[in-house]
Amino acid sequence: DMRAAWMGAEEGSIKPNVIVTTDLIHQYYEGSLTPDVRFQDTRMGDIGFQALQFKMVPIFHDPYCATGNMYFLNTDFLKVKHLPGAMFDLTMMERGQNQDAFVAHVLFEANVVSSARKYQNKLTGITA
């Protein structure tokens, strides 16, 4: 399934440059690799073999990733678009409720958008 998802997100020299998945799927993938495949990149020894790879692309785990999903992303085509006036802007200082302090709210409203959806892909329903 990973090979098919990879093929769906690549075209010529354009390919995913990061894979993100859940903690459990990351552990399952790591357990399925033999040690000689898991540690074939000798440069990775400098950081203690912390990064798994698939087709020379790092696989990261994220505890907030949706259960059973694996995302094949090309970050060259992902951008963060924020609303005007909501890029970590502060509101006016005001007295906090039931405390001897002043507080301000930090405003941030944004979306992650893709300028080329065809270079992103995902697997769903993965069980480990």
Side-chain angles (χ1 to χ4, degrees):
D1 291 342
M2 290 175 71
R3 289 183 295 219
W6 178 273
M7 295 290 290
E10 79 169 339
E11 181 178 295
S13 63
I14 300 172
K15 61 181 183 175
N17 57 14
V18 67
I19 300 172
V20 181
T21 190
T22 65
D23 294 343
L24 288 175
I25 294 170
H26 187 271
Q27 292 170 6
Y28 179 76
Y29 178 70
E30 181 178 19
S32 69
L33 298 175
T34 60
D36 60 323
V37 172
R38 195 179 311 156
F39 307 130
Q40 76 185 59
D41 187 354
T42 56
R43 293 172 297 154
M44 300 306 270
D46 295 337
I47 59 171
F49 303 115
Q50 294 177 359
L52 292 179
Q53 293 184 340
F54 178 75
K55 295 188 180 275
M56 302 301 289
V57 170
I59 301 175
F60 296 103
H61 57 97
D62 182 354
Y64 298 106
C65 186
T67 302
N69 289 346
M70 181 177 275
Y71 299 93
F72 295 75
L73 305 174
N74 188 320
T75 57
D76 296 337
F77 298 100
L78 295 177
K79 305 289 182 237
V80 175
K81 298 291 185 180
H82 64 89
L83 294 176
M87 185 63 169
F88 298 107
D89 293 330
L90 294 173
T91 62
M92 295 293 294
M93 296 293 283
E94 57 188 52
R95 184 170 291 283
Q97 291 182 339
N98 301 323
Q99 56 183 326
D100 190 20
F102 286 91
V103 297
H105 298 279
V106 178
L107 302 176
F108 179 72
E109 296 179 20
N111 287 322
V112 176
V113 296
S114 175
S115 60
R117 169 64 182 95
K118 70 188 223 172
Y119 301 126
Q120 321 297 332
N121 207 350
K122 75 175 182 175
L123 288 175
T124 59
I126 301 171
T127 57

